[in-house]
Amino acid sequence: MTVLLWILAVLAIPLVLLGGWLAWVFLKEFFSTDAEAEIAAEEAATASAEAAAAAGRLGLLPAERQNTDLAGPLPADWSAALAEVSRGEWRPAAEVFGGIGRDGERRSAFTSLLGDKAAEADEWLLSWEEARPDDPDAALVRASASVTLAWKVRGGQRASNTTHEQFEGFRRTLEAAREDVARAAALNPDDPTPYVKEIWVALGLGYPNAEMDALWARLTERAPHHYEAHFSALQYWCAKWRGSERLAAGFAERAAAGAPAGSLLSALPLIAHLEHDESDDTAAENTPEMIDRVNAVLADVAASDPSHPRLPEVRHLLAYYLRLQDRDQEALEQFRLVDGYVAALPWRYRANPAAYFCDVRDGTAKTVEEAEAAKAGAGA
């Protein structure tokens, strides 16, 4: 028996040695991978700090100083009116509408800002409606507020993470918003803005394509090249809502092709691309077609009214795509013009828009600084 045990022990030695070797290899690989990950993280942190320093040397603002509610600065009278609304006073807002007149882009933009305020607290709007019961501007703000409130009820999660109660509240609130939109349209028949708001009702209630086409015809009869209208309709035609990648791209290309210079509608194909791009690299952004699209937006921006209320949003998009195309000097020019504001695509699709904006912007600044240093060194 003793001899048998000795034989078994001798035979087991190679297995023990093999097991020890395998354990050593595993531990070495585990700790090596862990160390490599730690080194990579340290290198990334160092690169990020260097990029932030380059941005700082250019006077660009850090993430904590970025405005996450706006894409760009507002006109002084708009800011003053919004401040007064927060204190319960509606008259300055009514005066701003008087100054805007029939300008569809500005009317739509200012309405959205007021609607967001009223969706949070509407005492001031109730006072306006009581003082001027059939004021079309007050009715328009009410419609905007109702639509905004509906989307707040739904929440920003995907459908799979949205409760039945949220969907029911969303639908009920949208049905009421539809009535508010109809009233605003009736009080000001030539105004395209109520129909812009209705697009978001169409999207939420699931208007069939034919009904959306009829709505679009009513809107474009009043404003054929309205930027916010086209942006909103593009969302309807995207695959994530009521359309597909093909329908969204077709809508965007047709709108851009038929738009006058300065309308900013050349940005639509870039937005359609952004909405459906699931690639992990920049190859799709560097095709000749995409380069031509970015160049078209650059020309459109140059031809636009510098006070166009949607111009900052398009500059944000330009900065992003110019960076992806390694056109860093051009990208930096756009980043400089919108710095301090991040409520625009693509940043607002991220959980932390300011951090994402600064990450891309800072990398651009660092690349430009290094290129200029290399050029200076070569010329010395």
Side-chain angles (χ1 to χ4, degrees):
M1 188 67 178
T2 304
V3 173
L4 179 60
L5 290 174
W6 274 105
I7 292 172
L8 291 173
V10 169
L11 291 175
I13 289 173
L15 294 175
V16 172
L17 291 174
L18 177 62
W21 181 77
L22 289 173
W24 175 78
V25 169
F26 172 78
L27 291 172
K28 178 183 177 184
E29 195 66 28
F30 176 81
F31 285 110
S32 173
T33 301
D34 193 52
E36 288 175 0
E38 187 175 337
I39 292 170
E42 290 177 356
E43 290 176 346
T46 299
S48 179
E50 290 175 350
R57 284 189 286 273
L58 293 174
L60 301 175
L61 300 174
E64 61 271 19
R65 293 184 60 189
Q66 300 295 328
N67 185 315
T68 57
D69 296 322
L70 299 171
L74 297 176
D77 58 338
W78 292 25
S79 295
L82 290 169
E84 288 299 313
V85 157
S86 297
R87 290 190 281 269
E89 176 53 61
W90 56 270
R91 287 176 180 80
E95 291 173 5
V96 169
F97 271 120
I100 288 173
R102 297 170 61 87
D103 187 316
E105 296 289 359
R106 288 172 175 77
R107 187 169 174 79
S108 179
F110 188 57
T111 296
S112 294
L113 293 168
L114 288 175
D116 290 348
K117 289 280 190 181
E120 296 173 0
D122 69 346
E123 292 81 6
W124 57 273
L125 181 54
L126 290 168
S127 297
W128 188 353
E129 292 167 326
E130 183 179 358
R132 301 178 183 176
D134 292 322
D135 188 329
D137 298 336
L140 181 59
V141 175
R142 174 60 67 191
S144 181
S146 297
V147 173
T148 298
L149 181 60
W151 285 93
K152 284 180 176 290
V153 169
R154 184 197 182 280
Q157 297 296 318
R158 292 178 180 272
S160 58
N161 296 322
T162 303
T163 67
H164 175 73
E165 291 74 15
Q166 284 176 298
F167 274 124
E168 285 300 310
F170 177 49
R171 177 166 289 276
R172 286 195 305 272
T173 312
L174 273 184
E175 291 288 1
R178 192 176 189 177
E179 296 178 7
D180 289 335
V181 167
R183 181 171 184 269
L187 288 171
N188 195 353
D190 294 332
D191 186 10
T193 316
Y195 301 101
V196 178
K197 298 305 173 185
E198 190 178 353
I199 292 174
W200 292 93
V201 176
L203 197 156
L205 293 180
Y207 282 20
N209 291 172
E211 192 172 350
M212 176 62 186
D213 287 339
L215 168 60
W216 189 242
R218 291 193 295 274
L219 198 164
T220 52
E221 181 183 2
R222 292 161 174 80
H225 306 296
H226 193 295
Y227 182 87
E228 187 184 354
H230 281 81
F231 173 85
S232 302
L234 177 57
Q235 295 298 309
Y236 174 93
W237 292 112
C238 282
K240 64 182 180 181
W241 289 112
R242 307 298 174 185
S244 66
E245 181 173 1
R246 179 184 63 81
L247 289 172
F251 174 83
E253 292 292 349
R254 288 191 300 274
S263 67
L264 303 179
L265 294 186
S266 61
L268 293 176
L270 293 185
I271 297 172
H273 175 83
L274 177 70
E275 294 287 359
H276 299 92
D277 180 31
E278 297 181 352
S279 61
D280 295 325
D281 55 39
T282 61
E285 283 73 43
N286 283 275
T287 63
E289 181 181 37
M290 284 297 288
I291 291 171
D292 287 345
R293 286 173 175 169
V294 171
N295 287 338
V297 180
L298 281 168
D300 207 3
V301 164
S304 71
D305 178 352
S307 65
H308 193 301
R310 304 298 173 178
L311 180 57
E313 296 175 28
V314 177
R315 289 194 185 281
H316 280 281
L317 198 67
L318 258 183
Y320 176 70
Y321 277 107
L322 287 166
R323 170 61 172 166
L324 293 184
Q325 292 179 354
D326 296 323
R327 299 164 68 175
D328 295 289
Q329 186 65 59
E330 292 173 281
L332 186 58
E333 291 174 13
Q334 300 300 324
F335 275 121
R336 285 180 183 273
L337 292 167
V338 296
D339 191 44
Y341 302 85
V342 296
L345 296 178
W347 330 117
R348 61 184 175 86
Y349 277 175
R350 296 298 182 97
N352 190 334
Y356 184 41
F357 170 83
C358 288
D359 182 53
V360 179
R361 181 205 64 189
D362 294 356
T364 305
K366 183 172 182 286
T367 301
V368 169
E369 185 178 76
E370 289 173 345
E372 290 177 348
K375 184 177 179 180

